Amino acid sequence: MSNLNPDSHCRPAALAGSKSGSFGVKVRISMSTSSKIFQLKNFGLPLIRTVDDLAEHTHLSPQLIRYLSYRANYLYKRYEIPKKDGTVRVIAQPSRELKAVQAWILRNILNKLSSSDNCKGFEIGCSILDNAAPHVGANFILNVDLKDFFPSIKANKVYNIFSSIGYSKPVAAILTNLTVVDGRLPQGAPTSPKLANLICLKLDARIQGYAGPRGLIYTRYADDISISAQTIKKTMNARSILGQIIASEGLQINRKKTAIQGTMRRKEITGLVLSSNRVGIGRGKFREIRAQIFSLFTHESSDFSKVNGMLSYIYSVDKASCRKLWHYIDKLEARFFYSSAVGQLKRPLASLPLAMHPAV
């Protein structure tokens, strides 16, 4: 993967969105064509100089590419999902053709670019465990939620990404049209998480620049920011500075979901519970899944797919708890040998005995 310099993004002087999805741009920094070609090759990115080039790479007609670009705002199905706080999250689901092009852009362009080391969400090989583990042993944790994360990121910042890696103004504009809706990142497009991570390179660099020299640990999982420290003073100072940095980057903090967790309170990051020496699902979640497993054997429940999904998730983030749960399942299978639940729960890497599973 190639690293993007967050300060190298070209910044259009004007980027006016329209319902058709087309826009005009003026770029402050210009690069020669040969320099752009060299930069694209250096990044290992597809050489796209025209709509025809993009059509050839995606195996679509130039007419369809133009249609998807100019009519992108009309090619989303919008619906709302209720949040816990009573508000709604607007999901914009792209059409099948547009989603296919976005998937190609993600696979062949965006995933070849590196986000910051602090970014743990929606990155290949990273998980919520990678986001929480660096904070193990901290006395205090500051969790900050970014409000309306994807819709807060405007088209000009998306354009800057495509322009800064070497694509010409027309190509960068088309790629931007294909990945934004109503001038913003849509929540529901496959390209949005990676684009958001790349756009947040500068945010991550600024926060790490503050946190690192002060002995603070900083990670970000999409819109969830976590900073850990050993003293309450450092944590409070970080909260103040963090607010200034986030506001200057054009983002907002969701105050309702911002909290400091100290020595007298359970510490939790992206759904995982931290102790002084480990991270896992926590006792509450462990008891919950144990109860659901028991209900399967007593025929009070038959939702095997849900429990199997939870077991798979627990295996990925907390193998110690997974071992305990499978020891419990073995006991239940011996006790309720006549139950239809026997054999219905699937071990991770089911072809191996638990003792042979790697890293267990």
Side-chain angles (χ1 to χ4, degrees), residues 87-126:
T87 60
V88 296
R89 176 179 287 108
V90 178
I91 304 297
Q93 182 179 345
S95 68
R96 182 173 58 85
E97 294 85 358
L98 181 57
K99 186 175 182 179
V101 175
Q102 291 171 345
W104 184 92
I105 294 172
L106 175 65
R107 184 172 59 254
N108 294 279
I109 298 177
L110 301 178
N111 275 346
K112 293 184 178 181
L113 305 171
S114 291
S115 305
S116 75
D117 292 337
N118 307 96
C119 177
K120 307 299 181 182
F122 301 102
E123 293 294 323
I124 297 172
C126 290

Side-chain angles (χ1 to χ4, degrees), residues 50-330:
T50 65
V51 174
D52 289 343
D53 289 341
L54 181 57
E56 183 177 351
H57 280 290
T58 57
H59 304 291
L60 298 173
S61 69
Q63 292 78 13
L64 180 56
I65 294 292
R66 290 190 181 93
Y67 171 79
L68 294 175
S69 172
Y70 297 142
R71 301 288 292 177
N73 285 343
Y74 296 98
L75 301 177
Y76 287 85
K77 178 183 178 182
R78 296 167 175 83
Y79 56 93
E80 297 178 347
I81 296 179
K83 295 182 182 180
K84 292 181 180 179
D85 60 3
T87 60
V88 296
R89 176 179 287 108
V90 178
I91 304 297
Q93 182 179 345
S95 68
R96 182 173 58 85
E97 294 85 358
L98 181 57
K99 186 175 182 179
V101 175
Q102 291 171 345
W104 184 92
I105 294 172
L106 175 65
R107 184 172 59 254
N108 294 279
I109 298 177
L110 301 178
N111 275 346
K112 293 184 178 181
L113 305 171
S114 291
S115 305
S116 75
D117 292 337
N118 307 96
C119 177
K120 307 299 181 182
F122 301 102
E123 293 294 323
I124 297 172
C126 290
S127 69
I128 60 172
L129 179 60
D130 298 297
N131 186 55
H135 302 277
V136 169
N139 290 329
F140 297 91
I141 292 175
L142 169 64
N143 285 324
V144 174
D145 179 77
L146 298 178
K147 185 178 181 180
D148 299 327
F149 183 49
F150 290 141
S152 296
I153 298 175
K154 298 181 180 179
N156 66 316
K157 292 189 176 183
V158 177
Y159 174 89
N160 289 344
I161 293 293
F162 292 121
S163 177
S164 69
I165 58 180
Y167 287 113
S168 65
K169 289 187 286 185
V171 171
I174 290 173
L175 292 171
T176 301
N177 283 342
L178 292 169
T179 52
V180 303
V181 61
D182 298 326
R184 300 174 185 273
L185 274 187
Q187 184 153 352
T191 44
S192 291
K194 183 65 179 190
L195 279 168
N197 285 344
L198 294 171
I199 289 164
C200 285
L201 269 168
K202 186 179 178 183
L203 171 73
D204 292 338
R206 292 181 65 189
I207 296 177
Q208 179 60 30
Y210 171 82
R214 292 164 177 81
L216 309 178
I217 302 298
Y218 163 60
T219 62
R220 180 177 59 81
Y221 194 97
D223 56 353
D224 292 320
I225 288 176
S226 298
I227 288 185
S228 59
Q230 299 305 324
T231 67
I232 186 62
K233 182 179 179 180
K234 286 187 175 182
T235 309
M236 297 297 290
N237 290 342
R239 182 172 67 173
S240 176
I241 297 299
L242 206 61
Q244 298 174 32
I245 294 175
I246 290 171
S248 67
E249 291 296 321
L251 300 169
Q252 293 183 350
I253 292 177
N254 185 348
R255 302 293 175 183
K256 294 180 180 179
K257 297 178 69 175
T258 296
I260 293 177
Q261 302 162 353
T263 54
M264 303 300 291
R265 185 179 174 186
R266 186 177 78 166
K267 301 179 185 68
E268 186 173 336
I269 293 178
T270 47
L272 296 178
V273 178
L274 284 76
S275 66
S276 59
N277 58 3
R278 70 181 299 269
V279 57
I281 60 173
R283 284 178 290 183
K285 194 69 174 178
F286 182 84
R287 290 169 182 162
E288 177 188 332
I289 181 64
R290 238 176 72 127
Q292 292 188 34
I293 291 170
F294 185 81
S295 68
L296 293 176
F297 283 87
T298 58
H299 300 157
E300 296 173 57
S301 170
S302 59
D303 198 346
F304 291 99
S305 60
K306 178 182 178 182
V307 174
N308 275 320
M310 294 181 70
L311 287 170
S312 178
Y313 161 73
I314 294 169
Y315 178 76
S316 69
V317 298
D318 188 352
K319 290 180 173 58
S321 292
C322 189
R323 284 198 302 270
K324 293 178 181 178
L325 287 171
W326 273 106
H327 182 64
Y328 179 64
I329 292 170
D330 289 339

